[in-house]
Amino acid sequence: TVHVVSTVHHVSNSGHVTVVCDNEQALRVFEPDFFPDPKGANFDLVLALWTLVRNSPIRWSAKHVHGHQERNVRWSRLSRHSRLNIAMDKIAKQF
């Protein structure tokens, strides 16, 4: 599952976005050599995201974090990305 943290408030023609997720499969769309598989799961969504990323003037990268780390690691020892992932999981469960 990919969670969107916020909505776009302005348009930019340059910059860098790092997408952080606990699902490695979902992050593949950001790999330079990735190409959507028509027989793959959620092809329509994957193709739409892949097309948007490829046509974007913004540079995209991806970072994997392990999910549900709050169960095994003290909060103070978690990275900022891990904390944000935990927060997004909690918000997603509300919907």
Side-chain angles (χ1 to χ4, degrees):
T1 304
V2 177
H3 309 289
V4 177
V5 177
S6 64
T7 58
V8 176
H9 296 282
H10 59 84
V11 176
S12 178
N13 292 321
S14 65
H16 179 244
V17 174
T18 301
V19 177
V20 179
C21 184
D22 60 14
N23 182 323
E24 290 178 279
Q25 193 67 21
L27 293 174
R28 290 195 61 233
V29 72
F30 299 98
E31 294 174 1
D33 61 341
F34 177 79
F35 191 79
D37 179 1
K39 295 179 183 175
N42 304 307
F43 174 69
D44 54 342
L45 295 173
V46 171
L47 180 62
L49 179 57
W50 178 79
T51 301
L52 290 170
V53 168
R54 292 296 173 263
N55 292 329
S56 172
I58 297 171
R59 191 168 41 97
W60 294 81
S61 63
K63 178 178 174 154
H64 175 256
V65 293
H66 294 285
H68 309 290
Q69 292 184 63
E70 73 276 18
R71 297 177 185 167
N72 305 317
V73 180
R74 245 188 285 153
W75 187 259
S76 62
R77 297 180 66 67
L78 293 171
S79 71
R80 180 172 183 268
H81 288 142
S82 294
R83 290 179 189 175
L84 288 170
N85 184 66
I86 292 166
M88 290 296 10
D89 280 347
K90 288 180 181 179
I91 291 169
K93 287 177 185 166
Q94 293 175 0
F95 292 98

